[in-house]
Amino acid sequence: SWHLWGSLLALQVLAYNRHTYETVAQQLIITIIPAPGGEPPYQGEFLVGNRNVEELLPAAAQENFLQATAGVWDQDDLHIINITSALDRGGRVPLPIEGRKEGVYVKVGSHGAFSPCLASAASPQSRFRCSLGQQPLASCYDTFAPHFTIRWCNLTLLQVWPSPTAPGPVWGSGVLEEGGDFQPPTEVLPRDLLPGYLVTLLVPLAVAALLCLLLGHLMCCRREGV
């Protein structure tokens, strides 16, 4: 859970041991500082199949991943935007055999354009090959191997453009200008609610009376021998 106060974020982290199922909670206070260059317009999300999310949280592991990403992106201003477990995206819990991993989605941003290698891997032709169970198109050397196994069929490339900010309200002096008259809102005309009340009350009573008469006729006048 988290709470936001201005530029401070209070984040409560709840973790559990996957072997003993013991839990521990810790509250973190994070100061939110806008990025100096703004949000990067070019963002790529990679699915790392041979890692769990906790294995990519250390700074050293993230630095190694950025170095591998720079080899296929051809940019130097890369930085990690988000790290998400594949289980949070609908992935299945792996079987506890052969050291299988959950998988991690890593989103990387840059102010430089995508390389031809990434563009070809995310092209419609590459998507079509993936739908047929074939290898996607990749025109460059995979610098992620052998440390990171990238599921290239799950590569997502996004171009995020800054949205124009709407102008804020213009505050006046708070004093009515000379010659201006205050126009109160139009008064609502009174409504006659009696007909609706009578219909709501009398119609159910009439139906109930008819049902009582019909039931009385059937029980009293339709008896055998009467």
Side-chain angles (χ1 to χ4, degrees):
S1 62
W2 57 274
H3 302 279
L4 182 62
W5 298 291
S7 60
L8 295 179
L9 177 65
L11 181 66
Q12 184 177 11
V13 181
L14 180 64
Y16 78 96
N17 189 318
R18 65 177 70 247
H19 302 290
T20 62
Y21 296 99
E22 295 180 356
T23 59
V24 60
Q26 184 177 2
Q27 187 173 8
L28 302 177
I29 305 298
I30 302 175
T31 303
I32 302 176
I33 301 176
E39 187 177 9
Y42 298 93
Q43 300 179 7
E45 190 173 54
F46 303 85
L47 174 57
V48 186
N50 63 335
R51 288 289 187 272
N52 291 330
V53 64
E54 63 269 14
E55 297 175 349
L56 283 176
L57 293 180
Q62 296 183 21
E63 184 63 28
N64 293 335
F65 187 85
L66 290 178
Q67 291 178 2
T69 308
V72 297
W73 198 318
D74 298 333
Q75 298 292 339
D76 297 330
D77 63 335
L78 302 175
H79 65 275
I80 294 179
I81 300 177
N82 187 30
I83 298 177
T84 306
S85 173
L87 300 181
D88 296 335
R89 301 287 187 87
R92 296 181 178 180
V93 178
L95 297 176
I97 57 175
E98 301 176 359
R100 297 184 182 182
K101 304 294 184 177
E102 300 172 355
V104 185
Y105 284 93
V106 183
K107 181 179 289 186
V108 181
S110 173
H111 286 81
F114 302 115
S115 65
C117 173
L118 295 179
S120 62
S123 63
Q125 295 80 4
S126 181
R127 301 294 187 192
F128 178 72
R129 290 172 61 92
C130 289
S131 64
L132 298 178
Q134 302 177 4
Q135 293 294 330
L137 299 175
S139 59
C140 60
Y141 178 73
D142 189 358
T143 56
F144 291 96
H147 303 290
F148 305 102
T149 302
I150 303 299
R151 308 293 188 224
W152 290 103
C153 289
N154 297 89
L155 175 65
T156 303
L157 301 181
L158 300 174
Q159 285 188 253
V160 181
W161 304 107
S163 57
T165 58
V170 179
W171 301 100
S173 61
V175 180
L176 186 65
E177 297 181 359
E178 184 179 358
D181 298 330
F182 174 71
Q183 299 293 336
T186 305
E187 296 182 358
V188 180
L189 297 177
R191 297 175 55 188
D192 188 7
L193 302 179
L194 181 60
Y197 171 76
L198 295 177
V199 170
T200 305
L201 182 63
L202 295 181
V203 170
L205 291 178
V207 173
L210 290 177
L211 292 177
C212 290
L213 292 177
L214 179 60
L215 183 62
H217 175 72
L218 294 176
M219 296 183 63
C220 298
C221 300
R222 295 292 179 178
R223 296 178 60 186
E224 184 179 357
V226 178

